Amino acid sequence: METIKSGSIDALYERIDTFGKTTLELSKLKTVAITSKIMTTLVARMGLMLMVSMFLLLSSVGLSLYLGDLLGKLYYGFFVVGAFYFLTSIIFYFFLHKWVEKPVSNLLISQILD
């Protein structure tokens, strides 16, 4: 009777040990999958943001030169475009949570829970 109980406890211990190792390995794999998915999304969006930023930079210089030519002095165009970006940044600051923080956090949460 004593050996049967001992064998059953050993078998149970082995099963618990195997289950724990399998659960740990599964958690590691899920973490790697979620991390790679998030990083892929972020890198793709950062690349898109870089291209949009370059477009805006070059367009801003061109618009500044054009407006400066219309206004008579080149630097007037840069002042006008600079003032536009200043006003835009003030508006963006007040709506930052609604337009940026909330969508980014929702994206990360949906990527993690997916």
Side-chain angles (χ1 to χ4, degrees), residues 9 29 49 66-67 74 98:
I9 291 174
L29 291 173
M49 286 175 41
Y66 177 72
L67 289 175
L74 286 180
K98 182 179 179 182

Side-chain angles (χ1 to χ4, degrees), residues 52-65 81 85:
V52 169
S53 297
M54 291 300 297
F55 170 77
L56 284 175
L57 176 69
L58 295 173
S59 297
S60 295
V61 170
L63 182 63
S64 297
L65 292 172
V81 171
Y85 280 124

Side-chain angles (χ1 to χ4, degrees), residues 83-93 99:
F84 169 75
Y85 280 124
F86 179 71
L87 292 174
T88 304
S89 64
I90 289 173
I91 293 169
F92 187 72
Y93 174 77
W99 291 344

Side-chain angles (χ1 to χ4, degrees), residues 68-87:
D69 191 40
L70 289 178
L71 296 173
K73 299 211 182 215
L74 286 180
Y75 57 88
Y76 286 164
F78 285 95
F79 286 143
V80 170
V81 171
F84 169 75
Y85 280 124
F86 179 71
L87 292 174

